[in-house]
Amino acid sequence: QTVVTQEPSFSVSPGGTVTLTCGLSSGSVSTTYYPSWYQQTPGQAPRTLIYNTNTRSSGVPDRFSGSILGNKAALTITGAQADDESDYYCMLYIGSGISVFGGGTKLTVL
Amino acid sequence: QLQLQESGPGLVKPSETLSLTCTVSGGSISSSSHYWGWIRQPPGKGLEWIGSIFYDGSAYYNPSLRSRLTISVDTSKNHFSLNVNSVTAADTAVYYCGRHRSGSDQHFDPWGQGTLVTVSS
C-alpha cells in the first residue's frame, strides 16, 4: 500500500519562509505524480493551492509555490502571514486512476 | 461559477448503507475534461480519497474501500452519488465531493462544503 508522507507539524515566524514536503514511503516523488496541495482551516472545506507540481490555483497569492526538492514534492510559503496558520495536505496520483492524500501538516505561525 | 453541494442523511446505523448525493450547479457534469470525486475526513484526522467517476459511468475507487463502494452518475439530474455499504463507526467522517481534474492537471477544485455523516445506533 502506498503511503504519502508529510511532516506532522511545522512552525514558522511571521514574515519567514517555510517549506513543507510530500514524500513516498518507498520511492521518489516526481512530476509524473502530479502533486497538488490544499490548505484547510478548522471547520472549512479544503482550498486548492497548487496543482501539477507548481501551478497556482486561481486567486492563490504568489507567495505560495510548489516544486520538486530532491525526492519529494514541496510547498514553499514565502513571507508567512498569520492567516497561513492551517493544515496543509498534498495529493499524489499514483497511477491506474488512484489518488492518495498525505497525512497533512499542521502549520503554526508564531 | 461551478458549485457542488453534498446531501444525505447525517446519521446511519452500523451495518447499513451510507448514501450521499453531490449536486453540481453552474456547469455540466458531462464535461469531457473532468471526473467527479468523493473525499472524506474522519473527525480530527486527514483527508482520504474515496473514488471518482466520469460522466460515462467509468469509475476509480480507493483499493482499501473498493469492496464496499458504489459511485454512480446521473447526467439528467447533474449529480453523482456515493454508496458505502456495511458501515461501521470508522466510516464516521465529513464527506466532501469535488470536481476532479484528470490528466496532468490532477487535482480537486472546487470542493463542496462537506457533510458530516455519523455511524451510530
Side-chain angles (χ1 to χ4, degrees), chain A:
Chain A
Q1 184 178 350
T2 301
V3 176
V4 177
T5 61
Q6 295 185 248
E7 299 87 357
S9 62
F10 229 117
S11 63
V12 62
S13 299
T17 296
V18 63
T19 296
L20 311 181
T21 67
C22 175
L24 286 168
S25 53
S26 59
S28 299
V29 177
S30 66
T31 56
T32 60
Y33 284 85
Y34 309 121
S36 54
W37 291 90
Y38 305 87
Q39 177 191 48
Q40 186 182 37
T41 52
Q44 299 297 313
R47 169 199 182 195
T48 309
L49 295 176
I50 301 284
Y51 61 93
N52 196 10
T53 305
N54 56 16
T55 302
R56 270 185 297 276
S57 190
S58 177
V60 174
D62 60 7
R63 55 198 184 78
F64 291 92
S65 61
S67 64
I68 299 292
L69 287 181
N71 61 351
K72 295 182 179 182
L75 173 70
T76 298
I77 307 172
T78 304
Q81 300 179 0
D83 61 2
D84 295 335
E85 187 161 293
S86 304
D87 294 326
Y88 291 86
Y89 294 92
C90 68
M91 185 180 83
L92 301 179
Y93 176 70
I94 63 170
S96 301
I98 308 300
S99 296
V100 183
F101 283 97
T105 297
K106 184 177 184 61
L107 180 67
T108 301
V109 180
L110 50 74

